[in-house]
Amino acid sequence: MSITGSILRSRAVAALTSPHGVDRFLEQVNPMWAAHEVRARVVEVRRETDGEHPVATIVLQPTSTWRGHRAGQYVQVGVDLPGGRRTTRCFSVSSPASAPGERISLTVRSHAEGVVSRFLVEQARPGLMVHLGQAEGDFVMHESPATPTNNHLLFITGGSGITPAMSMVRTLLRDGYDGRAHRKVTFLHYARSAEDQIFAAELAEIAAGDNHVDVHLVHETDGGRFSEDALRELVPAFQDTDTWACGPAGMIELVQAAYAGSPRLRVEYFKPPMTASGTAEGEVSFARSGQQAANTGASLLEQAEALGLRPEFGCRMGICFSCTSRKTEGTVRNVVTGAESSLPDEDIQICVSAPVGDCVVDL
Amino acid sequence: MTATLNETTETTVTTATTSGASAARAERPVVPGDAAFHRLTAAQLKDFGDEMDAIRQRVLASLGDEDRDYIHRVVKVQRGFEVAGRALFYVPPAWPLAVAALSVSKILDNMEIGHNVMHGQYDWMNEPGLSSRMYEWDNVCPSDQWKYSHNYIHHTYTNILGKDRDIGYGILRMDDDQKWHPYYLGNPVYAALLMVFFEWGVAMHDLEVENLVAGKRTLEENKKIYPGLMRKVRNQALKDYLLFPALTGPLFPMTLAGNAVANLVRNVWAFNIIFCGHFPAGVATFSEEECEDESRGHWYYRQLLGSANITGGRLFHVMTGNLSHQIEHHLFPDIPARRYPEIAEDVREICERYGIDYNTGPLGRQLGSVAKKICRYALPDSPSDLKALVPGFLRRRLAA
């Protein structure tokens, strides 16, 4: 495949298939053939939990163009939904680190408003083709699983935020000697209830094994919720411990407060924090459609949608740049980083930009 | 040409001029051809615009799997013809078949796929391969330059003299209001050349040579579009006139000729379909003044009067990229073209109710009408115009 791949990616083939590119021909023959793009075929759909918001693990066989991923990274997944619209969302890879072309799995919770997650959990069947990006994200483990250390690693996750941490722990146990992590690992997870617990059987197995991993599962139904005191009891020196935290915005904010700016904490939200920060002043105008309304403080994408506009969007979390639009005047704040920008005629990601005062966007 | 006060209302309404309608010329009231057009009042224009908007909303709401499957099918067929065409050049006796397959491939690529995709007709599918922002067609004109001159200039200022550079493409005289000049005696020759080299004409269109000559544009402004243009020309020439011929080894000259013929077939076909869309007799042109502060209703009205359809079968419509429904295309340029035939039924019905001419006819008739117009406008409007042909010193002597 590598020789074929090199030929297919050569300048000669690009010149012959200009202006469409070689992938536009390969896909007509076999959707699993690609020279540049990444696609994947669903090979298995496994239900993890049932209930109101069921969770499923989707096992994917990517095309040979998949460059592999590091444990903790996410991938953009484009699904051709019924109705003809391709919709793209980001999902963390839940399987251990992959090499080029290797199978990966995503573990997805179906949300009422999440069209892609709902489709993947409830309608995806083996054989379905999806469109992938390459793996992205810096929420990764920097240590080699094959080199034992005396470092202590701490994972704090909530709900489906368990997926990147699971990829890391699975990588440690797969690639460490004798199936052990060879360093102290604390895995602290918050789930709504025992029924909602993702990977319950595998986590029980990990907890029971002699593998240097401590598993602590806390269920809200039993009154469990993240608190700094409970964390200190479990890991007294947590502020000096390499920590990966992933979960809903509310929980992550509590974790960040507990770490008080410690550089050992790495976080990942699976939804950007919403910005009801009290600075919802001024008026938002959408120039091309002529719509305007009082600024609600929500993201420009949400405010545009509330006015009945249908701007293009993808991840809705500032990653894919599908929603990039031109802000002609006004100041916006990036709700993820908090950075404010007042440049005129600036291209902004409207899904993570909230207006600060008057703002005009070319939509 | 000018806005006139309508007698039935107090509002200013617009008039349109027909070009080449020699019957109407006889009356020649204030504006040539005014009588040929049914004028709508401002209130009627508003209702007319609302009805068009309603069609638009209805079709947009119904876009779905069928439209997606359709364009995927067309792409598959086009890719198939392209591969078959390239492959058949290895079989010398199949040369005519190879040329035919490649011609079909290029026509489908440019018209039903390229032109329509670049209008954003399939942007709602969010497929990078069929997105107006990404699509590049099998044509020497770079897509971004085409989108500017076509989607923006031509579709916004359709048939407004002095604004729409597609009226005669800066080369031909196609309208009464273009003043005659001896240069235009070559009208039929220029048209024939434009037909043969159509893709090059389209690519050069963005250099706005006529504006350069008129001093309205500087060479400096053109410099920024040279790199993109040169890159596209190089890529297209490289594959059609060097790489694919070279790959057929000793058949190099045959393949080269075949590729050139396929490009020529596409040029001739596209030229004829496009000229039938805007230049048959009875298509209106507009002045800049009458389109000032234009209402949405009038915009629709202008698109309708400024375009003409061609009748034909289903396959014919597909091969024209559904530009045989130029009227519907101009009303709704970003609606998938396969919907135009169904939309046309509603548009015709609305036109009948408002008493607006709906310009349509078989290919032969529309082509004949266009050819007549090209020849007619080669000639001066009145014998006095011919004076321009007489050298100055002779003219002075004759006058004396």
Side-chain angles (χ1 to χ4, degrees), chain A residues 51-70:
Chain A
E52 196 190 343
H53 300 297
V55 175
T57 290
I58 321 287
V59 183
L60 299 173
Q61 174 59 57
T63 49
S64 61
T65 42
W66 170 249
R67 290 202 285 262
H69 84 284
R70 299 176 65 190

Side-chain angles (χ1 to χ4, degrees), chain A residues 4-30 33-37 39 65, chain B residues 79 83:
Chain A
T4 321
S6 311
I7 294 172
L8 289 176
R9 281 185 283 275
S10 67
R11 288 181 63 183
V13 169
L16 290 172
T17 55
S18 165
H20 304 305
V22 63
D23 279 338
R24 297 278 79 79
F25 289 89
L26 293 177
E27 69 181 359
Q28 297 295 341
V29 186
N30 183 336
W33 290 358
H36 302 279
E37 292 178 356
R39 290 183 284 272
T65 42
Chain B
R79 302 283 191 265
V83 172

Side-chain angles (χ1 to χ4, degrees), chain A residues 277-298:
Chain A
S277 50
T279 52
E281 292 164 353
E283 190 135 287
V284 181
S285 312
F286 297 99
R288 217 181 310 153
S289 57
Q291 300 266 27
Q292 56 180 45
N295 175 17
T296 63

Side-chain angles (χ1 to χ4, degrees), chain B residues 67-75 112-113 122 125 130:
Chain B
D67 302 276
R68 176 174 176 272
D69 294 347
Y70 171 79
I71 194 67
H72 281 178
R73 244 181 358 255
V74 176
V75 168
E112 183 67 329
I113 306 170
Y122 298 95
M125 301 193 327
L130 291 170

Side-chain angles (χ1 to χ4, degrees), chain A residues 15-16 18-20 24-25 28 80-86 312, chain B residues 64-65 68 76 109 124-127 133 135-137 239 243-244:
Chain A
L16 290 172
S18 165
H20 304 305
R24 297 278 79 79
F25 289 89
Q28 297 295 341
D80 292 316
L81 294 175
R85 285 173 174 81
R86 182 175 303 174
E312 194 178 322
Chain B
D65 288 333
R68 176 174 176 272
K76 201 176 194 78
D109 177 278
W124 55 275
M125 301 193 327
N126 297 325
E127 268 188 44
R133 290 188 296 177
Y135 198 84
E136 192 57 73
W137 58 352
K239 68 165 180 169
L243 292 180
F244 276 112

Side-chain angles (χ1 to χ4, degrees), chain A residues 130-178:
Chain A
V130 297
H131 304 265
L132 297 185
Q134 295 289 358
E136 295 170 74
D138 308 322
F139 189 73
V140 292
M141 209 167 48
H142 52 276
E143 300 191 357
S144 159
T147 311
T149 71
N150 57 0
N151 250 357
H152 181 185
L153 311 184
L154 170 59
F155 299 98
I156 307 173
T157 58
S160 52
I162 195 172
T163 47
M166 199 63 189
S167 176
M168 293 191 228
V169 170
R170 283 169 164 172
T171 306
L172 282 170
L173 296 178
R174 183 192 65 182
D175 299 345
Y177 298 112
D178 309 325

Side-chain angles (χ1 to χ4, degrees), chain A residues 175-238:
Chain A
D175 299 345
Y177 298 112
D178 309 325
R180 293 189 177 92
H182 290 285
R183 72 210 71 197
K184 189 172 165 60
V185 175
T186 304
F187 193 94
L188 172 59
H189 176 71
Y190 293 85
R192 198 166 298 159
S193 66
E195 293 76 50
D196 270 341
Q197 177 64 53
I198 309 172
F199 308 130
E202 187 178 348
L203 286 170
E205 209 173 290
I206 293 173
D210 170 21
N211 49 23
H212 315 134
V213 181
D214 283 333
V215 178
H216 301 270
L217 302 180
V218 187
H219 297 142
E220 271 176 36
T221 44
D222 305 331
R225 229 181 141 233
F226 176 84
S227 77
E228 188 176 336
D229 292 343
L231 178 60
R232 182 162 288 122
E233 208 168 291
L234 194 64
V235 185
F238 67 88

